[in-house]
Amino acid sequence: MRYFIELSYNGSAYHGWQIQPKDISVQEVLEKALSTILKETISIVGAGRTDTGVHASQMFAHFDTGIKFAEQQLTYKLNSFLPKDIAIHKIFKVQPEAHARFDALSRTYLYRVSLKKSVFSYNNALYMKQDLDVDLMKEASKILFDYRDFQCFSKTNTDVKTYNCYIMAASWFFKDDELHFVVKADRFLRNMVRAIVGTMINIGLGKIDVEDLHQIIASKNRSEAGYSVPAHALYLTKVEYPDSIKLYD
């Protein structure tokens, strides 16, 4: 049987989602927990590859096993076994060919910018001392819809076949003392969201004109875009799938 796991994690202590040769990752910790509880070697495939320090309030992964178990009971056992920064929300059966990564219809990310010094949010949001022209940043976010190729925001030397992404939503808005950027797309390139946010912060600071964003994207050159903002304020918040992947008893 193939199962999907819905989980969340605080990425502060991990070198991203994907297993690393020498560094601890969320995937490694979860695989070890599953293998220990089910008493067989379990490999999992995630919906994406969040980078070092990036968090996820909703992530999915799939795994295969011939062992029978009660989904709620395994969820409880995993949460008791796993460290406090990884939480399992649900485990459910899916179609045999369902794939956590390739069947995802969209992914949504949130980036948090703190506009006020806070002793509680400095680990979770980027604190900006300078004033930002948010109206310009909102205007710039609309330009993203005009393009498909976002190579300029991609980490260099990646092994992707295409830099095309379909952006479905992108907006800036205020929430209490923070400025949030939410972006939804069918896929994201490595470092893409952090590079977009860094570029738009430069626009908000007046270092780049809004119209320059057209030239930056068209250049397909990472050095033309803005800096990559820190990972600690980035969250994968939603992954959507077609209902047809679920297997109903």
Side-chain angles (χ1 to χ4, degrees):
M1 292 293 302
R2 177 159 292 186
Y3 294 87
F4 263 38
I5 303 175
E6 181 184 353
L7 69 148
S8 59
Y9 53 86
N10 183 319
S12 300
Y14 301 99
H15 288 258
W17 163 266
Q18 192 173 20
I19 288 179
Q20 305 292 323
K22 298 180 180 179
D23 299 311
I24 193 70
S25 69
V26 179
Q27 182 183 15
E28 178 185 351
V29 172
L30 184 53
E31 282 188 355
K32 286 183 177 179
L34 274 169
S35 299
T36 300
I37 293 171
L38 294 178
K39 295 182 172 60
E40 72 170 358
T41 301
I42 299 292
S43 297
I44 61 175
V45 177
R49 304 174 183 177
T50 55
D51 290 336
T52 299
V54 176
H55 318 291
S57 56
Q58 185 183 60
M59 169 64 110
F60 287 91
H62 77 250
F63 71 96
D64 297 325
T65 182
I67 296 176
K68 292 184 178 180
F69 59 84
E71 287 92 337
Q72 287 186 336
Q73 187 177 21
L74 181 57
T75 299
Y76 175 81
K77 287 183 178 180
L78 280 170
N79 278 324
S80 299
F81 190 91
L82 288 164
K84 60 185 178 181
D85 50 14
I86 301 176
I88 307 301
H89 303 298
K90 189 187 300 182
I91 299 173
F92 55 95
K93 297 175 184 175
V94 293
Q95 300 291 344
E97 303 301 320
H99 198 285
R101 180 182 175 189
F102 298 135
D103 284 338
L105 299 174
S106 67
R107 298 159 177 84
T108 302
Y109 279 91
L110 161 70
Y111 198 87
R112 295 171 54 186
V113 178
S114 178
L115 303 174
K116 181 180 179 181
K117 186 176 181 179
S118 170
V119 297
F120 299 111
S121 68
Y122 64 86
N123 279 331
N124 308 307
L126 172 66
Y127 173 47
M128 289 293 300
K129 299 178 182 178
Q130 306 98 315
D131 291 333
L132 295 170
D133 190 325
V134 180
D135 288 335
L136 290 180
M137 296 164 70
K138 289 181 177 180
E139 187 179 343
S141 67
K142 297 176 183 177
I143 293 175
L144 298 174
F145 299 112
D146 296 336
Y147 296 89
R148 290 290 181 270
D149 188 323
F150 293 100
Q151 185 174 355
C152 71
F153 297 127
S154 173
K155 192 170 184 177
T156 56
N157 300 321
T158 57
D159 56 350
V160 296
K161 295 180 180 179
T162 175
Y163 293 96
N164 288 354
C165 306
Y166 171 48
I167 292 184
M168 306 168 186
S171 61
W172 288 93
F173 59 91
F174 292 101
K175 185 173 182 180
D176 299 325
D177 292 323
E178 293 186 357
L179 179 62
H180 288 186
F181 178 65
V182 173
V183 58
K184 174 181 176 181
D186 61 341
R187 64 189 290 263
F188 287 92
L189 306 168
R190 287 195 64 188
N191 206 57
M192 179 173 166
V193 179
R194 292 164 61 194
I196 289 174
V197 173
T199 303
M200 291 195 178
I201 284 178
N202 281 344
I203 290 173
L205 292 171
K207 295 180 179 180
I208 303 173
D209 291 334
V210 173
E211 290 304 311
D212 290 341
L213 187 55
H214 289 286
Q215 180 182 342
I216 290 170
I217 298 175
S219 75
K220 302 183 182 182
N221 188 337
R222 178 65 187 91
S223 63
E224 293 292 319
Y227 71 109
S228 291
V229 288
H232 72 274
L234 180 61
Y235 302 77
L236 174 62
T237 60
K238 192 171 185 179
V239 186
E240 296 179 276
Y241 295 93
D243 288 336
S244 58
I245 68 163
K246 293 181 180 179
L247 186 62
Y248 298 97
D249 295 330

